[in-house]
């Protein structure tokens, strides 16, 4: 299997039509922004293109996706995915075959017939920016806005350790192309609900520490969400809170999604590869931002993750 360059990917896209663009389960700003921007560019290139109507889209990202969502009954000729690293991350109601995967995760399982993977990118939006340039020759202001959503959210508003010079250059280019970074930053990073505020307080008050404070962990149960009046819309990037404590090298956020169903979000500082930790349980991602799913209660999930950290991170 050949890993297509951005130019080769654009040529592949030009040769086909009837697109549906797949985002991953519990979609974030990168998969939504990148997919919507690519959908816009494909339409400008004369193609029929829609984004998959992912039922997990949160309130924050819904307006960005809305103009591009497929209506009921649309039958795609070509299915492509954006920012999806594994079949396990397909939306729960999706049942199909992906012909092209556009991604930046080094742990991509190569599930698609064709791939365009740039593991050096901080966000998939950077790769999609290059593909759109090759596909259309230019980038519209609306596409720049969508790609700024992608790049800024996957770098934590350029605070995460994956932020590098190319990511900052991409952001600067997107601003020059028309992205209103001030308005978007306020909307994405400086506005939260009262329920989210209450949830953050409870999470920080209930933090747990291991390995002399080098490992921090927080459990977010369904009961806790109910007590705070919070919903899924209030849970964007909760994982970023847990690793802020001084002296922490690895952080774990354990979300209870259902009975015996937990989503694990692991984050780390440079020098600790949490993708190896999550891979113990079939997960993956990036060296300093990874995840997995465990079919057990939250307390048991915490014990399993600590066991994997002991095994894969002896330096702690």
């Amino acid at each position: 299997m050949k890993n297509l360059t951005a130019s080769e990917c654009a040529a592949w896209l030009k040769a086909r039509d009837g697109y549906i663009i797949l985002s991953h389960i519990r979609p974030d700003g990168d998969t939504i922004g990148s997919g919507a921007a690519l959908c816009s560019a494909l339409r400008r290139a004369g193609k029929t293109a829609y984004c998959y109507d992912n039922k997990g889209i949160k309130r924050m990202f819904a307006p960005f996706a809305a103009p591009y969502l497929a209506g009921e009954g649309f039958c795609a000729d070509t299915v492509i995915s954006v920012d999806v690293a594994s079949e396990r991350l397909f939306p729960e109601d999706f049942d199909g075959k992906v012909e092209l995967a556009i991604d930046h995760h080094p742990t991509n399982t190569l599930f698609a017939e064709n791939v365009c993977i740039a593991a050096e990118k901080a966000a998939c939006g950077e790769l999609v920016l290059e593909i759109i340039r090759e596909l259309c020759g230019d980038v519209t202001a609306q596409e720049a806005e969508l790609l700024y959503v992608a790049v800024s959210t996957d770098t934590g508003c350029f605070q995460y350790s994956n932020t590098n010079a190319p990511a900052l250059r991409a952001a600067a280019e997107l601003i020059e192309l028309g992205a209103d970074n001030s308005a978007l930053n306020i909307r994405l990073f400086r506005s939260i609900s009262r329920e989210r505020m209450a949830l953050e307080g409870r999470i920080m008050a209930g933090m747990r520490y291991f390995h002399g404070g080098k490992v921090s962990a927080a459990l977010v149960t369904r009961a806790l969400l109910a007590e705070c009046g919070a919903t899924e819309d209030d849970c964007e990037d909760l994982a970023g809170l847990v690793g802020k404590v001084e002296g922490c090298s690895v952080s774990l956020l354990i979300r209870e999604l259902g009975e015996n169903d937990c989503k694990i979000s692991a984050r780390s500082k440079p020098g600790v590869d949490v993708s190896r930790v999550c891979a113990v349980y079939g997960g993956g991602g990036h060296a300093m931002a990874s995840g997995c799913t465990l079919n057990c209660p939250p307390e048991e999930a915490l014990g399993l993750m600590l066991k994997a950290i002991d095994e894969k991170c002896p330096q702690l």
Side-chain angles (χ1 to χ4, degrees):
M1 178 183 292
K2 181 182 179 183
N3 186 15
L4 303 178
T5 64
S7 178
E8 291 169 336
C9 183
W12 190 96
L13 293 168
K14 288 177 182 178
R16 291 160 180 80
D17 204 349
Y19 289 99
I20 197 77
I21 302 172
L22 192 68
S23 53
H24 58 67
I25 191 171
R26 293 182 290 274
D28 59 12
D30 197 12
T31 193
I32 294 298
S34 296
L38 182 59
C39 185
S40 172
L42 285 168
R43 291 179 180 181
R44 289 199 295 127
K47 306 296 183 181
T48 299
Y50 293 94
C51 290
Y52 187 78
D53 190 3
N54 192 326
K55 304 308 179 185
I57 298 177
K58 297 183 180 71
R59 182 177 60 239
M60 177 186 293
F61 301 122
F64 300 111
Y68 306 100
L69 297 179
E72 187 175 349
F74 174 70
C75 186
D77 297 316
T78 311
V79 179
I80 61 179
S81 65
V82 174
D83 195 43
V84 181
S86 164
E87 304 97 316
R88 296 180 63 181
L89 296 176
F90 289 171
E92 293 177 357
D93 56 352
F94 174 77
D95 181 20
K97 182 175 66 173
V98 176
E99 295 179 55
L100 170 67
I102 300 171
D103 193 19
H104 71 126
H105 292 97
T107 57
N108 188 284
T109 59
L110 306 180
F111 57 85
E113 295 178 11
N114 303 275
V115 299
C116 180
I117 301 172
E120 75 281 2
K121 304 291 188 186
C124 198
E126 295 174 71
L127 175 57
V128 173
L129 173 60
E130 295 180 6
I131 293 170
I132 291 176
R133 282 201 217 100
E134 296 288 343
L135 183 65
C136 298
D138 62 353
V139 180
T140 68
Q142 179 60 35
E143 289 160 6
E145 290 253 330
L146 293 166
L147 292 175
Y148 186 88
V149 171
V151 176
S152 64
T153 54
D154 239 34
T155 58
C157 202
F158 312 102
Q159 296 182 71
Y160 294 164
S161 54
N162 65 331
T163 305
N164 53 26
L168 293 171
R169 282 193 287 268
E173 179 180 354
L174 293 170
I175 293 169
E176 290 174 344
L177 289 167
D180 187 342
N181 63 307
S182 178
L184 287 170
N185 288 345
I186 291 171
R187 181 174 178 178
L188 297 171
F189 305 107
R190 295 178 57 194
S191 302
I192 62 174
S193 67
R194 295 183 183 182
E195 293 78 11
R196 167 65 182 242
M197 188 75 76
L199 181 60
E200 288 189 9
R202 292 288 298 276
I203 289 172
M204 288 186 279
M207 292 270 289
R208 305 187 195 181
Y209 304 96
F210 308 89
H211 288 273
K214 293 181 180 179
V215 177
S216 60
L219 275 58
V220 180
T221 64
R222 290 178 292 169
L224 178 59
L225 289 178
E227 289 167 13
C228 295
T231 68
E232 187 66 30
D233 284 324
D234 299 306
C235 294
E236 181 68 22
D237 194 32
L238 286 175
L241 293 175
V242 189
K244 288 185 175 181
V245 63
E246 186 177 7
C248 172
S249 295
V250 176
S251 62
L252 301 171
L253 181 84
I254 299 175
R255 281 275 319 276
E256 182 187 30
L257 302 178
E259 186 175 357
N260 294 328
D261 182 17
C262 288
K263 175 193 174 187
I264 316 300
S265 297
R267 302 290 184 265
S268 67
K269 302 291 170 57
V272 183
D273 185 351
V274 288
S275 71
R276 297 177 67 244
V277 174
C278 292
V280 171
Y281 303 113
H286 301 283
M288 290 181 282
S290 203
C292 62
T293 300
L294 292 174
N295 300 123
C296 60
E299 290 288 350
E300 185 177 340
L302 174 59
L304 289 171
M305 291 305 297
L306 291 173
K307 180 181 177 182
I309 288 171
D310 289 342
E311 176 186 340
K312 298 298 182 180
C313 306
Q315 68 270 41
L316 297 177

